[in-house]
């Protein structure tokens, strides 16, 4: 997906620059507005520039971790959930990425997944416990392939930058609005009248920018959101050679009525399907959204039939939605590939068939990632999962009162 | 003052040569990029194949203790592994890996007759690792073959084929399933 990679690079740079200009403009007008002189305006502008620099550096070096933390994701090791880990490794290989992304689990019953990272060598894939509970191995492979495609196409690099920048702008606009109420009062008390007209204009500019900045930021999000999902679906089908896996996964995700704990406007566009708010139903055909209609994505994948290449996805897209979605250079390189169902895997590799067993496996993996230690009580055989805060301090089994072996981290 | 015909012609010639040179460089660099991508893809396969080869001695060790009468099957696995280790290049590797896969298949089928072996944790873990490695070899092969085909196409189309002489075509990697060609072994006892 050469075109997508280039366009994402351009857009990342554009977002950084546009947000910088926006911030400095807000800083200048706020400074002018609050202090009534040029020095204040320059100070405001310089402060905004400083804030912008810090934001950009933060987005660049800590953006992925910040977003993962906002979503409540915990990193897991291979032993915690070997199946998920292996699937991520397989899709890394299928996509030809040089580094395997880190693997995270989010403690949320709503099925969803996302990826973050500023470049493919430093990326992470996160799935919710709910997702692991309802999907079988082929479907999970489809979802992971979709996320790996986001990493390969540099969508996540753009999202990470945009997400952090947007988050910071929303926060700053909030602070600015509050400062204005305060500053407005101060201005009236010492204002004489000489520069009243100019100030009114500046005040207006400040208000306009403050109101506009979150909306602008949101518009940036809309502009970059929709096509990338189709492209990631196409890559997902190509990596797995099995479009039906992803189609069936999307169907299950769409039918879920479970609302998601993570309702942040910043992280919402990262997910494979839009997070549901409490009491909300998923609208399969919603037009104005950060995500394209799910029903259409499923229909396109199913229209691919027995093929799994980019050209086949483009044909299916044309048939269902009309027009092209894959770039011309990618199409030129695409060669016909037959779809085939994934080979059956060894029993130990398979995801358990029972949803309850899947749920237990997924939550155990999450708890392991969150630093819990498992200890079996020697006298009553109860399996205890001990949170980090109680490790080394819990000496007696809460069930039978018997003496426990050491419960410090090393013992687990 | 104006330019004479001769000066114009020289200017035009310089422009044409410059454009041709830039075009040539672009094509050449593209070929290098594609070739490196195919090489990297091959390295990915190599990593997985090596992992498979490394797992086999442990597997043989853990089976030995239980299935003492199956020396010939174990020897076949070891031999197939050694052959795969020394195979160079996609075509030879593909064939050797096919034979190794067949030998491993026989070993696992034989394990069914030894309940103690099937319950052995070490054996189970190795079996799982091998299955997962097998999967990864499949995906690595898929990616390599795509990259190799793209590279081969790039060096065959005009005008790249004029300068592609120093670029070796990439061989595709196909694991030949030798088991299907072998005659079934019939034991008379």
């Amino acid at each position: 997906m050469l075109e997508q990679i280039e366009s994402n690079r351009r857009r990342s740079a554009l977002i950084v620059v546009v947000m910088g200009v926006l911030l400095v403009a807000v800083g200048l007008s706020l400074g002018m507005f609050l202090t009534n002189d040029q020095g204040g305006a320059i100070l405001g502008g310089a402060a905004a520039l400083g804030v912008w620099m810090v934001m950009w550096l933060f987005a660049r070096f800590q953006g992925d971790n910040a977003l993962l933390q906002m979503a409540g994701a915990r990193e897991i090791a291979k032993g915690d959930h070997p199946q998920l880990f292996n699937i991520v490794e397989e899709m890394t290989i299928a996509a030809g990425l040089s580094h395997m992304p880190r693997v995270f689990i989010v403690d949320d019953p709503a099925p969803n997944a996302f990826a973050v990272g500023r470049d493919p060598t430093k990326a992470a894939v996160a799935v919710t416990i709910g997702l692991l509970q309802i999907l079988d191995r082929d479907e999970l492979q489809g979802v992971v392939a979709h996320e790996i495609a986001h990493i390969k196409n540099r969508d996540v690099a753009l999202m990470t930058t945009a997400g952090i920048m947007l988050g910071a702008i929303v926060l700053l606009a909030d602070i600015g609005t509050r400062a204005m109420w305060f500053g407005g009062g101060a201005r009236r008390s010492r204002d004489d009248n000489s520069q009243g007209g100019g100030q009114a204009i500046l005040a207006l500019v400040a208000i306009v920018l403050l109101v506009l900045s979150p909306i602008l930021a949101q518009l940036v999000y809309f502009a970059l959101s929709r096509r990338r999902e189709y492209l990631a679906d196409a890559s997902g089908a190509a990596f797995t050679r099995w479009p039906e896996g992803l189609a069936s996964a999307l169907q299950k995700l769409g039918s879920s009525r479970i609302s998601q704990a993570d309702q942040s406007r910043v992280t919402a566009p990262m997910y494979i399907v839009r997070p549901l708010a409490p009491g909300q139903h998923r609208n399969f055909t919603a037009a104005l959204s950060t995500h394209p209609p799910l029903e259409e994505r499923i229909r396109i994948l199913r229209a691919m039939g027995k093929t799994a290449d980019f050209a086949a996805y483009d044909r299916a897209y044309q048939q269902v939605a009309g027009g092209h979605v894959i770039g011309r250079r990618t199409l030129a390189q695409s060669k016909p590939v037959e779809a085939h169902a994934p080979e059956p895997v060894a029993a130990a590799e398979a995801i358990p068939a029972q949803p309850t067993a899947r749920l237990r496996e997924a939550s155990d993996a999450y708890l392991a990632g969150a630093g819990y230690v498992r200890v079996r009580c020697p006298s009553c055989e109860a399996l205890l999962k001990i949170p980090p805060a109680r490790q080394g301090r819990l000496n007696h089994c809460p069930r039978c009162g018997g003496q426990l072996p050491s419960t410090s981290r090393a013992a687990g | 003052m104006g330019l004479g015909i001769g000066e114009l012609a020289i200017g035009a010639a310089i422009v044409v040569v410059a454009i041709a040179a830039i075009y040539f460089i672009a094509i050449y660099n593209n070929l290098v990029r594609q070739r490196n991508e195919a090489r990297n893809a091959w390295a990915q396969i190599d990593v997985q194949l090596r992992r498979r080869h490394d797992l086999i001695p442990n597997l043989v060790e853990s089976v030995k203790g239980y299935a003492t009468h199956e020396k010939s099957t174990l020897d076949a696995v070891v031999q197939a592994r050694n052959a795969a280790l020394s195979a160079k290049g996609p075509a030879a590797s593909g064939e050797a890996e096919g034979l190794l896969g067949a030998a491993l298949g026989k070993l696992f089928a034989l394990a069914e007759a030894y309940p103690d072996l099937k319950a052995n944790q070490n054996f189970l873990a190795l079996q799982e690792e091998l299955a997962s490695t097998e999967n990864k070899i499949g995906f690595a092969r898929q990616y390599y073959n795509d990259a190799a085909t793209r590279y081969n196409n790039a060096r065959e189309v005009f005008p790249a084929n004029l300068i592609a002489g120093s670029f070796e075509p990439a061989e595709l990697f196909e694991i030949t399933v030798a088991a299907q060609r072998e005659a079934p072994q019939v034991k008379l006892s």
Side-chain angles (χ1 to χ4, degrees), chain A residues 136-190:
Chain A
D136 66 26
R137 195 181 199 278
D138 299 350
E139 291 160 344
L140 187 59
Q141 197 166 49
V143 169
V144 170
H146 172 104
E147 295 306 331
I148 298 273
H150 274 319
I151 294 171
K152 188 171 189 193
N153 293 345
R154 309 293 198 283
D155 291 329
V156 293
L158 177 56
M159 297 301 295
T160 307
T161 312
I164 295 292
M165 293 289 214
L166 170 61
I169 290 238
V170 171
L171 191 75
L172 281 179
D174 236 32
I175 295 169
T177 325
R178 256 165 241 169
M180 201 150 61
W181 290 119
F182 174 73
R187 185 183 65 89
R188 264 195 303 278
S189 64
R190 66 183 146 107

Side-chain angles (χ1 to χ4, degrees), chain A residues 2-234:
Chain A
L2 311 155
E3 301 90 348
Q4 181 72 356
I5 293 172
E6 284 166 12
S7 126
N8 277 330
R9 284 220 177 98
R10 270 199 309 274
R11 285 171 168 180
S12 294
L14 191 71
I15 282 185
V16 171
V17 171
V18 166
M19 296 225 170
V21 170
L22 200 74
L23 260 183
V24 170
V26 172
L28 278 174
S29 38
L30 255 186
M32 191 73 191
F33 185 75
L34 292 176
T35 61
N36 273 344
D37 63 20
Q38 276 187 343
I42 290 169
L43 204 69
L49 200 67
V51 169
W52 175 72
M53 285 287 287
V54 170
M55 257 164 60
W56 180 75
L57 286 175
F58 184 73
R60 185 151 176 74
F61 295 107
Q62 277 303 314
D64 46 355
N65 289 332
L67 290 174
L68 284 164
Q69 201 152 30
M70 263 157 98
R74 300 286 189 161
E75 182 167 8
I76 62 157
K78 181 167 183 177
D80 301 334
H81 203 294
Q83 297 93 331
L84 174 64
F85 212 85
N86 271 325
I87 289 174
V88 173
E89 208 174 336
E90 285 165 15
M91 288 304 103
T92 305
I93 293 169
L97 289 183
S98 58
H99 291 70
M100 182 180 157
R102 295 182 290 157
V103 185
F104 286 73
I105 293 184
V106 181
D107 182 17
D108 200 310
N112 224 333
F114 68 89
V116 292
R118 78 180 142 95
D119 63 58
T121 59
K122 284 198 175 63
V125 172
V127 302
T128 64
I129 288 181
L131 186 93
L132 291 172
Q133 189 188 355
I134 65 169
L135 298 189
D136 66 26
R137 195 181 199 278
D138 299 350
E139 291 160 344
L140 187 59
Q141 197 166 49
V143 169
V144 170
H146 172 104
E147 295 306 331
I148 298 273
H150 274 319
I151 294 171
K152 188 171 189 193
N153 293 345
R154 309 293 198 283
D155 291 329
V156 293
L158 177 56
M159 297 301 295
T160 307
T161 312
I164 295 292
M165 293 289 214
L166 170 61
I169 290 238
V170 171
L171 191 75
L172 281 179
D174 236 32
I175 295 169
T177 325
R178 256 165 241 169
M180 201 150 61
W181 290 119
F182 174 73
R187 185 183 65 89
R188 264 195 303 278
S189 64
R190 66 183 146 107
D191 185 39
D192 285 332
N193 66 15
S194 55
Q195 297 168 320
Q199 282 204 349
I201 293 170
L202 275 178
L204 206 67
V205 171
I207 292 169
V208 165
L209 278 177
L210 283 174
V211 173
L212 267 190
S213 56
I215 299 172
L216 267 179
Q218 195 66 41
L219 279 179
V220 171
Y221 253 0
F222 282 145
L224 47 92
S225 289
R226 318 226 12 200
R227 208 173 92 126
R228 73 195 151 84
E229 292 301 326
Y230 294 116
L231 296 181
D233 284 352

Side-chain angles (χ1 to χ4, degrees), chain A residues 86 89-90 239 241 333, chain B residues 44 132 135-136 140 142 150:
Chain A
N86 271 325
E89 208 174 336
E90 285 165 15
F239 295 161
R241 301 285 201 250
Q333 285 187 353
Chain B
Q44 295 262 23
S132 138
N135 251 2
K136 282 162 201 159
Q142 172 182 313
R150 268 202 302 277

Side-chain angles (χ1 to χ4, degrees), chain A residues 247-296:
Chain A
S248 149
L250 290 179
Q251 182 99 51
K252 281 189 183 173
L253 294 184
S255 314
S256 166
R257 294 271 180 82
I258 305 169
S259 67
Q260 201 163 328
D262 181 13
Q263 283 296 327
S264 156
R265 198 151 52 118
V266 176
T267 48
M270 302 190 313
Y271 285 97
I272 184 168
V273 295
R274 191 171 47 85
L276 274 189
Q280 190 185 20
H281 290 269
R282 197 177 297 284
N283 185 350
F284 263 81
T285 50
L288 193 74
S289 161
T290 52
H291 290 75
L294 254 184
E295 192 212 11
E296 193 178 283

